[in-house]
Amino acid sequence: MPVPALLPALLPTEASAADPNLELALKVLPALAVILLTAALCGRLATLVMQPRVVGEMVAGVLLGPTLLGAVFPDAQAALFPTQVRPVLYVLSTLGLTLYMFLVGAGMDHDARAPGELRKASVLAASGIISPLVLGGAAGLVLWERLSRPDVGRLEFALFLGGALSLTAFPMLARILYERGLQNTRVGRIALLAASIDDAVAWCLLAALSAVHLGGGPGDTLRTIALAAVFAVVMLGVVAPLLRPLGRRVARTGRLGTGAVYVIVLVPLAAGWITDAIGVYSVFGGFVAGLAMPREPAFRAALHGRMMDLVSTLLLPVFFAFSGLNTHLGGITGGFALLAFALILILAFSGKYFGCSLATRALGFGWRESWAMGAMMNARGLMILIFINIGLAQGMITQELFAMLVLVAVLTTAAALPLYKLALPERHEPADAGSAGSAAPVGAAAGETGFI
C-alpha cells in the first residue's frame, strides 16, 4: 500500500474525534514522545560535558517552555501542549514526584556506624540548614514587596525562600559518593546522614508552610500540622513494623514478588492521598512512606531496581517539562529582577558551600574534604524543583521567583561536580575509598539512568 494511502489510517477519524477520551489520548501521546526525546537528548549532551544527566533534564524542561519553544515556535508549543494536555501532565508529574520521594525516603540510611557520627552529621546538617535559611530568609524579608504575591505574608515568604535554599540534593550526593567508592568512608557516611537530616527538616518546613498558607485560620493551620504529625507517627510507629516481615522475606529470597510490589506501590500512593487530603501535598506522604520501608540492604536494592527505571525514565521527565511550562526566564529582565536573582544565587551558593565547608573543618576533617563536602551539600538538583513547584501550585510564590529558583537549581547542581573534583581529586581521596556498599541508595540507583 502506498504511503499516502496509509496516512488516513494514522490520522484521527471521525469516530476518534467523537470520543473525547481517544481525542485526549491522541494529544497526550505526542506530548509525551517529545518530552522523552528532548529529555534523552539533553541528558546525553550533559553527560558529554561531564555534567550529571539531571542538569540536562532540567534544561530540557525549560527549553520546552515559553523561554525557547514558546518564543520561537509558539504555534508548535500550543499544538504540543494544549490546555487539555496540561492537567494530564500535572497528574503524571505528581505521581512521579510521590514515587520518587518515596524512593528517596526508602534509600536514606539512618544508621551511624561509629561513635560520634550522628552528632557530627547533626552538626553538618544544622550548618547546611541554618546558614541558607537565615541568608535566604533575610533576602526574602528584603525582596518581599517586589517578588511576593499580595496574599503571602512577609515571614511566610521569607521562610519559603530560606527553606528552598536550604535543600540538598541527597540523591546526587549519594551518587557522587558511590561512584567514587566513598560511601563507607567517614566523610561519606557523615555526608549521607547529614543530607538525609537536612532534607527531612526542609520537607517538614514545607509541610508547615503549606498548612499555614492553606489553613484559612490559626485553628485550621494547627489542625493540619497536628494531622501531619499524627500521620508521620502512625507511618513510622505502626506501618513500619508491619512492613518488617516483608523486608526479611525479600532479604531471604533476594527478589520482590508480585504481591510485594502491589503492597509497595499502594503504600506511597495511599500515603500521598492522605497527606493531600490533610493539606500538605502528596510528596510529603511519599517521603514518609519511604522512611517507613524496611531497612534491609537487599530489600532497598530490590526496591530501587524494580521502580527507579520507570519513575526516572517516564515520570520525572514529565515533571521537568511541566516545570518548564511554568518557567518564564524572559521575565527576569530589568535591573531589579537581575539584581534580585544575583542576590538569591550568591546567598544560595555561599550559605551552603561555606557553611558546610567550615562546619566540616570544625569537625576535624582536612580542608580538601571540607571543601568537597561543601560542594556536594550545595547541589540542589531535583529536590528544590519539587519544593518550588509545590509553592507555585499552592500560590505561595510568583512565576518570577519560580523562574529565578529554577536557575538557582540548574547552576548550583552544575557547579557541584566540578567543585568537588577540584577540591578532592582522586589522588587525594581517603585511603579507605573504594569499598563496596552493602546496598546502593536512591542516588546510586538513579545514577544508572542519570536522574539524581
Side-chain angles (χ1 to χ4, degrees):
M1 182 181 295
V3 173
L6 289 174
L7 290 178
L10 299 176
L11 295 174
T13 63
E14 291 184 6
S16 67
D19 185 345
N21 294 322
L22 181 57
E23 185 179 359
L24 179 61
L26 292 172
K27 292 179 179 179
V28 171
L29 293 178
L32 290 178
V34 171
I35 289 170
L36 296 182
L37 287 172
T38 308
L41 176 61
C42 291
R44 178 58 179 164
L45 291 175
T47 60
L48 292 178
V49 295
M50 305 302 291
Q51 281 292 334
R53 186 179 293 271
V54 71
V55 174
E57 304 288 351
M58 289 190 288
V59 171
V62 174
L63 296 181
L64 290 174
T67 301
L68 181 66
L69 183 61
V72 180
F73 303 108
D75 294 337
Q77 194 208 39
L80 273 173
F81 305 111
T83 304
Q84 307 97 303
V85 168
R86 299 197 181 202
V88 178
L89 298 182
Y90 173 78
V91 172
L92 290 176
S93 64
T94 300
L95 178 62
L97 293 184
T98 302
L99 293 177
Y100 180 79
M101 290 304 297
F102 166 71
L103 293 174
V104 169
M108 286 186 172
D109 191 351
H110 313 295
D111 300 326
R113 302 180 187 178
E117 278 191 358
L118 181 59
R119 179 187 62 82
K120 292 179 179 179
S122 299
V123 171
L124 179 59
S127 69
I129 295 171
I130 295 173
S131 297
L133 183 62
V134 170
L135 292 176
L141 293 175
V142 173
L143 300 173
W144 173 72
E145 291 184 359
R146 299 288 296 273
L147 291 183
S148 177
R149 292 170 56 95
D151 58 334
V152 175
R154 186 186 294 267
L155 181 60
E156 181 184 341
F157 179 79
L159 287 174
F160 183 92
L161 182 56
L165 300 188
S166 69
L167 280 162
T168 290
F170 169 82
M172 179 175 184
L173 184 148
R175 180 189 175 191
I176 293 174
L177 292 173
Y178 271 76
E179 284 183 347
R180 307 300 284 265
L182 297 172
Q183 70 276 12
N184 285 325
T185 63
R186 186 173 59 133
V187 64
R189 291 193 303 269
I190 292 176
L192 288 171
L193 191 55
S196 67
I197 297 171
D198 190 337
D199 283 353
V201 171
W203 291 116
C204 290
L205 174 62
L206 179 60
L209 289 175
S210 297
V212 170
H213 184 72
L214 301 177
D220 291 336
T221 298
L222 292 175
R223 173 182 170 275
T224 301
I225 294 174
L227 288 175
V230 169
F231 165 80
V233 169
V234 170
M235 288 297 298
L236 300 178
V238 178
V239 177
L242 293 176
L243 293 172
R244 285 173 190 162
L246 174 63
R248 291 193 291 267
R249 184 164 62 251
V250 172
R252 188 170 56 251
T253 62
R255 60 182 294 274
L256 286 172
T258 303
V261 173
Y262 275 114
V263 172
I264 289 169
V265 173
L266 284 173
V267 168
L269 293 183
W273 177 76
I274 291 171
T275 50
D276 255 340
I278 289 173
V280 292
Y281 207 71
S282 60
V283 296
F284 180 75
F287 179 68
V288 175
L291 295 177
M293 285 292 113
R295 313 315 299 171
E296 281 83 1
F299 174 85
R300 294 162 68 190
L303 173 64
H304 289 104
R306 287 292 292 269
M307 292 186 65
M308 180 53 76
D309 286 342
L310 174 65
V311 173
S312 62
T313 304
L314 175 61
L315 298 178
L316 285 185
V318 176
F319 166 71
F320 288 125
F322 189 79
S323 298
L325 293 175
N326 291 315
T327 303
H328 301 265
L329 295 183
I332 309 178
T333 56
F336 175 79
L338 292 174
L339 286 175
F341 167 68
L343 175 65
I344 293 172
L345 178 62
I346 291 170
L347 294 180
F349 178 86
S350 58
K352 273 281 190 183
Y353 186 67
F354 293 109
C356 292
S357 297
L358 295 177
T360 305
R361 177 60 178 166
L363 291 173
F365 292 89
W367 277 114
R368 284 191 175 275
E369 291 176 317
S370 300
W371 294 125
M373 183 77 79
M376 290 187 295
M377 296 289 286
N378 193 49
R380 289 167 178 83
L382 178 59
M383 308 300 276
I384 188 175
L385 290 185
I386 299 173
F387 196 97
I388 62 178
N389 267 275
I390 295 172
L392 184 65
Q394 296 186 348
M396 286 189 277
I397 58 174
T398 61
Q399 291 276 359
E400 187 178 19
L401 180 61
F402 178 84
M404 293 179 184
L405 293 176
V406 168
L407 280 182
V408 168
V410 173
L411 295 175
T412 58
T413 305
L417 272 177
L419 288 174
Y420 173 86
K421 292 179 179 179
L422 180 64
L424 197 65
E426 290 187 19
R427 66 181 183 276
H428 290 292
E429 285 177 344
D432 55 343
S435 56
S438 55
V442 64
E448 297 171 4
T449 54
F451 286 89
I452 47 182

